[in-house]
């Protein structure tokens, strides 16, 4: 099965398949959005809904059908069963609905995230924004990054050269003072807040220049976005200045910064 996985990765077929799966998960999610959805509280006090659970079930079933036996690390399964003791050489990182809090509040910037990890590095990733019917994906290794509206063709995207007045994109959860401090640290004059892994994609398509993050995140929050951004010519650096890696203890991230050109 790994032979097929690597062949599909090299041809770009794997990322195409992931995009189809993520868009089907989006179609599962959308009937819940702005329709009186109620969230339950998880052990860490973060919200979860039926949309999260149904989307994850679809993604897991489709991945197992395509590439049986590949390890999966998915947010809601980890909540119920705990995280695996260790990461395999190849594994999936899945967040079926990133930005659940904003989703429950009716905001648009929630996403579906699917990434393939090989020896700690994100080698393929797809991010879908159900509310705007938009998907971003990596291509074959070295083949760039792409965006499409549902049902339309793929368009190539890339990071922009750093402008004279760079702009940062930040988590909505940050205070204005903290966001301004972080933006300034990375040379950004202005900043804007939004939810979810959408921030990586906005840098990847050349609309922003930096996304610094100091608070904790889980690996499934960042892997797909990192794959897209790196394919578009950007980078995601951990606090030690090295590329952000995956399969860490408890699949937890420390601070990082995502950068464009």
């Amino acid at each position: 099965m790994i032979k097929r996985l690597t062949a599909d990765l090299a041809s770009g077929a794997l990322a195409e398949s992931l995009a189809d799966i993520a868009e089907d998960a989006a179609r599962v999610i959308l009937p819940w959005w702005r329709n009186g959805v109620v969230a339950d509280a998880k052990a860490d006090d973060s919200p979860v809904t039926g949309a999260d659970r149904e989307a994850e079930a679809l993604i897991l079933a489709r991945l197992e059908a395509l590439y049986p036996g590949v390890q999966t690390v998915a947010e809601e399964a980890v909540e119920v069963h705990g995280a695996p003791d260790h990461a395999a050489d190849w594994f999936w990182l899945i967040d079926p609905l990133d930005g659940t809090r904003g989703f429950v509040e009716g905001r648009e910037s929630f996403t579906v995230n699917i990434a393939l990890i090989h020896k700690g590095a994100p080698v393929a990733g797809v991010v879908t924004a159900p509310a705007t019917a938009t998907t971003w994906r990596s291509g074959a290794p070295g083949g760039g990054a792409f965006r499409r509206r549902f049902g339309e063709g793929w368009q190539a995207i890339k990071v922009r050269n750093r402008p004279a007045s760079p702009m940062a994109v930040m988590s909505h959860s940050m205070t204005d003072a903290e966001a301004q401090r972080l933006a300034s640290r990375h040379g950004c004059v202005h900043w804007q807040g939004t939810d979810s892994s959408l921030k990586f994609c906005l840098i990847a398509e050349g609309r922003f220049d930096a996304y610094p993050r100091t608070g904790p995140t889980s690996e499934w929050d960042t892997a797909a976005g990192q794959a897209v951004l790196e394919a578009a010519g950007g980078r995601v650096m951990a606090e030690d200045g090295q590329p952000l890696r995956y399969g860490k203890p408890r699949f937890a991230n420390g601070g990082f910064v995502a950068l464009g050109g």
Side-chain angles (χ1 to χ4, degrees):
M1 186 46 59
I2 295 302
K3 184 176 181 180
R4 178 184 170 192
L5 186 80
T6 55
D8 286 354
L9 175 64
S11 71
L14 183 143
E16 289 264 14
S17 295
L18 296 187
D20 291 340
I21 294 170
E23 290 175 5
D24 285 345
R27 294 180 183 99
V28 167
I29 289 167
L30 280 171
W32 296 78
W33 183 49
R34 294 179 175 172
N35 199 24
V37 63
V38 176
D40 300 321
K42 296 195 283 192
D44 64 358
D45 208 33
S46 64
V48 61
T49 70
D52 300 71
R53 298 184 180 107
E54 288 189 11
E56 182 167 295
L58 180 147
I59 294 166
L60 291 174
R62 294 278 293 278
L63 290 176
E64 180 63 17
L66 280 173
Y67 305 107
V70 178
Q71 184 184 41
T72 58
V73 181
E75 180 176 15
E76 308 316 331
V78 168
E79 171 66 17
V80 175
H81 304 295
D85 293 334
H86 70 279
D89 280 354
W90 293 92
F91 69 99
W92 302 108
L93 275 169
I94 301 154
D95 189 341
L97 205 171
D98 185 23
T100 301
R101 200 177 305 278
F103 168 77
V104 171
E105 293 173 1
R107 297 201 294 269
E108 292 187 350
S109 50
F110 55 94
T111 56
V112 179
N113 300 334
I114 309 172
L116 177 64
I117 310 300
H118 182 225
K119 294 184 176 179
V123 293
V126 167
V127 176
T128 288
T132 60
T134 307
T135 296
W136 298 260
R137 68 166 176 87
S138 59
F146 303 87
R147 178 190 62 208
R148 76 177 175 195
R149 295 272 298 175
F150 290 8
E152 297 180 3
W154 291 105
Q155 295 182 323
I157 59 171
K158 63 180 181 179
V159 299
R160 67 185 179 186
N161 294 328
R162 193 169 177 87
S165 298
M167 283 196 66
V169 60
M170 302 284 198
S171 169
H172 259 144
S173 63
M174 299 181 67
T175 65
D176 287 354
E178 184 181 11
Q180 186 61 56
R181 178 182 61 80
L182 274 179
S184 298
R185 180 190 296 177
H186 294 281
C188 294
V189 179
H190 306 288
W191 63 275
Q192 181 176 315
T194 193
D195 298 320
S196 79
S197 60
L198 189 61
K199 294 183 280 291
F200 295 95
C201 301
L202 295 176
I203 299 173
E205 62 181 39
R207 294 172 59 185
F208 290 87
D209 305 289
Y211 162 35
R213 180 80 182 219
T214 56
T217 57
S218 296
E219 292 186 353
W220 48 77
D221 295 319
T222 60
Q226 180 172 345
V228 171
L229 178 55
E230 289 181 345
R235 54 207 165 101
V236 182
M237 313 302 290
E239 291 174 320
D240 62 1
Q242 297 301 307
L244 187 63
R245 302 284 287 179
Y246 294 87
K248 301 183 293 296
R250 301 181 307 282
F251 298 88
N253 292 323
F256 64 84
V257 59
L259 298 169

